[in-house]
Amino acid sequence: MNTPGTNLSWITIRKFVNDIHLWAGLISGIVLLIVCLTGTLYVYNTEIREWAASHLYRVEVPPGQTRLAVETILENGQKYIEGDITGLKIPYEANRSLQVTARAEGDLSRFGTTYFFNPYTAAYLGNSKEPNPAAEVMGNLFSLHRWLLLDKIEEPLIGGLENRKLGSYITGSATILFTIGVLTGLIIWVPRKARYWRKGLKIKFDSNWKRINHDLHNTLAFYSAIVLFLMGVTGPFWSFPWYREGLQKTLGTYQERREAKPEKSAATTNAAPKESGAMALFPMEEYVEVADLALGYKGSYSIDLPQKGATDVRISKKRAGFFAPAASDQVVVDAGTKAVKQVALFRDQPFNQRISRSIKALHVGDVYGSFSKLLYFISCLIATSLPVTGTLIWINKMKKKKQTRKPPKGRETVTSY
């Protein structure tokens, strides 16, 4: 049985938490609306980009025909590929293309250029540098999500602070307030009496619009709270160095960055012999067979070929399927002997390292394939609605307070003698 003092303290605590929840939402509302809306669309960034350039990623499967050997495709595609081949992507799905990554001399892009080939005919389909309107749109969407498009403005808006950093600080701060809002919202959701908890799980669509709006805010937020917390707590990872280091230290995976060694001059780099092309490699299918012995499940392969005198072929394998985890396992094979040098299974790593490696996947929803993406899409859509429904709740409460303060019209104050 609750004593009056205990009940009063809970009411005080609940009111204090409610105030934090309110002001966190009001301060960050507009920014959160932008961040959550763009985040909702960006969940399917890869799918949208591939849909807009489907001729690169999708192929027709000829009846009864098997894939050609990778070496045959590379031999026929040499006239299209510029630079040294650095990696391959061999898909599990029968209707997807073979991807070849290469880096030409002087190419300073992060991943180089990807060339796409039909694995059944060796036909060249195109490359990643081709214009893609959807890629441009998604790039702008990412800029809006991450930096509020401030990176598009060259002249600094505040002192010497880079506009990209300014935008990152704003979105990062709003995301921290969002996480606080999620946590305080859960506390507010807890009913005073245990027998009322079921009411918080339902939306009364037969009530007036104010009640429906209230239920949409509370109930939908509760159902998506775990996903919303994961999105919120990982978001500032890319905004603030202190937050990133703090999160890594909490997980026990923090490592101090070593000072980068001075880069060699361009003349020295260009004069070095290309040792990657001098090494004789076995057919790619043989390396895949070695990886299959260590990783006996169905999945797609990403193969990193040895570069600059290295002797290892690194094969990453990702499971296929609707519920397939995004994290890949890796097999390191000696390029000259096909001997397995290392097998790194994601599930065998300590829990804190698995979380640390999955920060990006936990933020964008790429954790368990299409299943988690759908879950994140719905949750992010709910998050987009929260600033709107929350603001309406606050406005309705303010109107109610004003009405209670005003005396009813037509009723005079009578003084008794």
Side-chain angles (χ1 to χ4, degrees):
M1 183 174 181
N2 293 332
T3 62
T6 304
N7 190 42
L8 182 62
S9 63
W10 167 242
I11 293 174
T12 305
I13 293 172
R14 199 169 187 272
K15 183 181 182 305
F16 175 72
V17 173
N18 186 77
D19 290 341
I20 296 176
H21 183 81
L22 170 64
W23 288 108
L26 290 177
I27 293 171
S28 61
I30 295 177
V31 176
L32 283 180
L33 186 64
I34 296 172
V35 170
C36 292
L37 179 59
T38 53
T40 302
L41 299 174
Y42 205 79
V43 168
Y44 288 106
N45 167 55
T46 301
E47 288 77 3
I48 292 173
R49 288 172 183 259
E50 291 189 4
W51 169 79
S54 58
H55 66 285
L56 296 179
Y57 297 91
R58 301 289 178 179
V59 299
E60 292 186 4
V61 183
Q65 189 171 341
T66 58
R67 294 176 178 176
L68 298 173
V70 174
E71 280 67 30
T72 301
I73 298 173
L74 294 179
E75 184 178 351
N76 293 338
Q78 277 299 329
K79 57 184 176 181
Y80 302 104
I81 301 173
E82 298 181 4
D84 294 334
I85 296 175
T86 59
L88 305 165
K89 284 189 177 181
I90 305 175
Y92 169 75
E93 296 83 0
N95 64 340
R96 290 185 67 87
S97 59
L98 175 76
Q99 300 180 27
V100 181
T101 304
R103 185 178 295 278
E105 186 175 339
D107 186 353
L108 300 178
S109 61
R110 184 177 178 185
F111 300 109
T113 304
T114 301
Y115 301 85
F116 300 83
F117 296 91
N118 188 315
Y120 302 97
T121 64
Y124 174 64
L125 305 176
N127 64 69
S128 59
K129 296 296 175 67
E130 294 178 1
N132 184 345
E136 185 176 349
V137 171
M138 297 308 293
N140 290 329
L141 195 70
F142 178 77
S143 172
L144 182 59
H145 177 79
R146 183 84 176 273
W147 304 296
L148 300 178
L149 293 178
L150 294 182
D151 60 312
K152 306 293 184 181
I153 304 174
E154 296 182 2
E155 195 69 24
L157 298 175
I158 300 178
L161 181 63
E162 184 183 356
N163 288 333
R164 176 179 290 222
K165 285 187 177 181
L166 175 62
S168 185
Y169 290 164
I170 295 173
T171 57
S173 300
T175 307
I176 292 174
L177 290 175
F178 173 77
T179 307
I180 294 173
V182 172
L183 296 175
T184 53
L186 285 173
I187 297 174
I188 296 169
W189 182 91
V190 175
R192 298 179 188 177
K193 296 183 180 180
R195 65 175 180 271
Y196 294 139
W197 69 272
R198 282 191 178 88
K199 293 183 179 180
L201 301 176
K202 299 178 181 178
I203 301 175
K204 295 184 179 180
F205 287 105
D206 56 347
S207 300
N208 58 48
W209 75 270
K210 293 181 180 180
R211 179 58 192 235
I212 295 173
N213 179 76
H214 186 275
D215 287 349
L216 286 173
H217 185 82
N218 290 350
T219 306
L220 294 181
F222 174 78
Y223 281 123
S224 58
I226 295 177
V227 175
L228 297 182
F229 175 77
L230 291 176
M231 287 191 297
V233 79
T234 53
F237 186 85
W238 295 276
S239 294
F240 305 108
W242 61 265
Y243 190 95
R244 179 168 55 252
E245 292 179 7
L247 189 58
Q248 290 173 339
K249 288 179 180 179
T250 302
L251 293 171
T253 58
Y254 174 74
Q255 294 180 349
E256 292 187 9
R257 292 187 178 182
R258 298 178 180 177
E259 294 184 4
K261 295 181 180 179
E263 296 182 358
K264 297 180 180 180
S265 64
T268 305
T269 304
N270 295 335
K274 297 180 180 179
E275 297 183 38
S276 58
M279 175 175 290
L281 298 174
F282 290 98
M284 289 298 110
E285 283 77 6
E286 295 188 21
Y287 293 115
V288 170
E289 290 176 2
V290 172
D292 276 338
L293 292 176
L295 308 172
Y297 54 81
K298 299 177 180 179
S300 301
Y301 302 92
S302 294
I303 304 176
D304 293 331
L305 300 181
Q307 301 293 314
K308 296 181 180 179
T311 59
D312 294 337
V313 173
R314 297 181 178 273
I315 306 173
S316 298
K317 189 173 184 180
K318 185 181 293 186
R319 293 179 184 271
F322 186 74
F323 294 95
S328 58
D329 300 318
Q330 189 178 83
V331 179
V332 180
V333 181
D334 186 280
T337 64
K338 294 189 296 183
V340 176
K341 300 175 70 173
Q342 182 183 9
V343 177
L345 301 180
F346 181 76
R347 68 169 183 267
D348 289 344
Q349 295 182 3
F351 179 74
N352 62 331
Q353 292 185 16
R354 280 182 283 162
I355 294 295
S356 184
R357 280 186 56 187
S358 304
I359 295 295
K360 183 179 179 181
L362 288 170
H363 184 68
V364 302
D366 192 13
V367 183
Y368 280 100
S370 300
F371 169 72
S372 62
K373 282 198 170 187
L374 178 61
L375 198 63
Y376 267 64
F377 177 80
I378 296 172
S379 299
C380 210
L381 198 60
I382 292 172
T384 305
S385 72
L386 294 181
V388 178
T389 54
T391 302
L392 290 175
I393 291 174
W394 175 68
I395 292 173
N396 290 331
K397 286 184 177 180
M398 294 298 291
K399 287 182 178 180
K400 189 175 180 180
K401 286 182 179 180
K402 288 182 180 180
Q403 290 174 358
T404 54
R405 289 173 184 173
K406 294 180 180 179
K409 291 182 179 180
R411 183 177 298 177
E412 298 179 357
T413 306
V414 180
T415 306
S416 58
Y417 295 90

